[in-house]
Amino acid sequence: MTIVVTGAAGFIGFHLCGALLRQGHHVVGLDSLNDYYDVSLKTARLSILETNTNFTFAKVNIADMDALTAALQPYKFKQMFHLAAQAGVRYSLENPSAYIQSNLVGHANILEICRHHDGFMHLIYASSSSVYGGNQKIPFAEDDPVDRPVSLYAATKKADELMSHTYGHLYDLAQTGVRFFTVYGPWGRPDMAYWMFTRNLLEGRPIRIFNNGDMRRDFTFIDDVIEGLLTILEKGPVRHDKGANPHRVYNMGNNRPEELLHMVEVLEKATRRTAVQKLEPMQPGDVKETFADLTAIQADYGFQPKVSIEEGLPKFVQWYRQFADL
Ligand SMILES: NC(=O)c1ccc[n+]([C@@H]2O[C@H](COP(=O)([O-])OP(=O)(O)OC[C@H]3O[C@@H](n4cnc5c(N)ncnc54)[C@H](O)[C@@H]3O)[C@@H](O)[C@H]2O)c1
């Protein structure tokens, strides 16, 4: 079976493509290979995927509808994972147009492609826990109000969910949106705190701790995420009522928020270094806490994350040492 994955050279896309290839699928990966972070990390991921002859890659910007249409024209597919996006909360204050192009125009183009593709059955796309903004009610549940985003990144992810809802309603396009909660692991993203802390610890540099450490994050290990996505592919889309809108949104987190300072302790132990901490105020656009209610995804897909940060972060550190040759 041919499955399309956008954002294939990205962190989650790379792991997902690998898992799909191991299941014997033909994977068509798309990515613009943009330089938001070191492109050599993206090409290193791709060179691993390209050792499998069932993997086909096209460098394409999903905001360019003509290029996107041409890249997918040779293939017949029924399912697509749409993970390409401009990620990162803080960068959305610096370069808003990257978010408008990739996340809004790009998502709309993907919806149009899927709507018009003969025999298409299921679009699984990435949303984000950031849509919950500064919500006080925890844990965050899918039917909580999310119309007060605190960053443009969050606003674009919520807008994607709204566009998807409309395509479900108007065109019966089956879709599953997944709100990821701080996904981490080997081959991760250099803009994320756990990566920067590890690098700085190993290089003997101070680490910047925002909001004086008063932050909690629901950290989700990449293997748990990939298992969850494969289950959604296999069992989905779940339709509760005949004739109901076939678009659903789920949290995918760990249901276990960790104190930021505890995360630092786990990294100190894994690196065998002591952090020099620079305590700083809260960053604009950031949120104090994320905490996923997993009731819906457990009921529909039996999603049960297994990996704690005590197990997952040392795996990242071990990978990072090899990757950075430290
Ligand atoms: N990693 C997390 O903790 C997390 C949390 C919440 C949501 N998400 C979402 O999950 C998805 C995957 O995230 P990730 O962590 O793998 O990020 P990533 O940045 O590693 O991967 C995204 C990939 O998309 C590509 N891309 C960006 N704009 C593009 C465009 N216009 N056309 C084609 N390709 C484009 C990038 O080059 C990159 O390789 C994203 O949608 C992200 O917003 C991730």
Side-chain angles (χ1 to χ4, degrees), residues 6-14 30-37 42 45 60-63 82-88 98 101-103 106 126-130 153 157 178-184 188-189 191-192:
T6 75
F11 166 42
I12 301 174
F14 160 71
L30 309 179
D31 203 296
S32 62
L33 301 178
N34 72 29
D35 63 0
Y36 167 58
Y37 61 78
K42 298 182 183 183
R45 294 177 184 135
V60 64
N61 182 346
I62 57 162
H82 171 40
L83 304 174
Q86 180 56 59
Q101 287 307 312
S102 293
N103 303 8
S127 185
S128 166
S129 63
S130 64
Y153 170 65
K157 287 294 183 181
V178 182
R179 293 177 177 168
F180 293 125
F181 282 66
T182 316
V183 186
Y184 74 100
R189 270 190 16 223
D191 62 327
M192 291 182 71

Side-chain angles (χ1 to χ4, degrees), residues 32-106:
S32 62
L33 301 178
N34 72 29
D35 63 0
Y36 167 58
Y37 61 78
D38 192 352
V39 179
S40 69
L41 177 58
K42 298 182 183 183
T43 53
R45 294 177 184 135
L46 273 185
S47 64
I48 294 174
L49 296 174
E50 281 170 338
T51 59
N52 190 315
T53 51
N54 274 336
F55 182 72
T56 314
F57 179 71
K59 183 172 185 285
V60 64
N61 182 346
I62 57 162
D64 178 343
M65 188 53 154
D66 291 343
L68 178 61
T69 306
L72 290 175
Q73 195 275 328
Y75 307 105
K76 280 200 78 60
F77 51 90
K78 292 181 177 159
Q79 288 131 323
M80 183 191 293
F81 285 96
H82 171 40
L83 304 174
Q86 180 56 59
V89 164
R90 289 175 196 150
Y91 186 60
S92 67
L93 282 84
E94 265 172 60
N95 186 0
S97 88
Y99 292 76
I100 302 298
Q101 287 307 312
S102 293
N103 303 8
L104 298 184
V105 178

